Amino acid sequence: MPTTTAAGPDHADPDRAACARHAESGALVRRVVAEIEKGPVLPAGVAIILVGSRSGYATPGSTDPALTAALQEVGAAIDDLDQQGHAKLPPGGDVATSKVALDPARTVAALDAADAACAGR
């Protein structure tokens, strides 16, 4: 009798797989946001820590358009943090040595929207 292997639920449903990746990446992004909310941070540190998460949100692999949009907005919000970091540098400042205050409101809203889009998946 031939053996068969069943793909796990995350492999069978691209939306569930995207949400599983969001659950993992979103937790890291929320930890970074918590540090941002405490006070000034090094922009380079934020960018380095979130580079992997950012890549995943750019191409979430989901098929549901609303879910895809919600996940891509998280990526755009991460980009916004990076842009803020550069824009808020003092004259002569460097992203690796000059701390700046970032506003993570867009990131928090995007994470909440992605959580809602993934609810029940």
Side-chain angles (χ1 to χ4, degrees):
M1 183 177 269
T3 58
T4 60
T5 57
D10 289 342
H11 298 292
D13 182 345
D15 294 339
R16 282 185 71 183
C19 287
R21 286 188 301 275
H22 162 65
E24 186 175 317
S25 290
L28 172 63
V29 176
R30 286 190 189 277
R31 285 192 301 273
V32 171
V33 164
E35 291 302 314
I36 289 170
E37 290 174 333
K38 290 179 185 177
V41 295
L42 294 173
V46 172
I48 289 168
I49 293 169
L50 295 182
V51 69
S53 297
R54 169 61 184 94
S55 296
Y57 285 116
T59 55
S62 52
T63 58
D64 179 290
L67 175 59
T68 297
L71 295 172
Q72 288 177 333
E73 173 57 16
V74 177
I78 292 170
D79 286 345
D80 181 60
L81 290 174
D82 189 47
Q83 291 166 359
Q84 286 181 49
H86 287 276
K88 292 183 176 188
L89 284 174
D94 181 88
V95 294
T97 58
S98 301
K99 290 186 175 185
V100 297
L102 303 177
D103 179 3
R106 179 178 179 188
T107 307
V108 171
L111 288 166
D112 291 346
D115 289 349
C118 283
R121 292 184 199 251

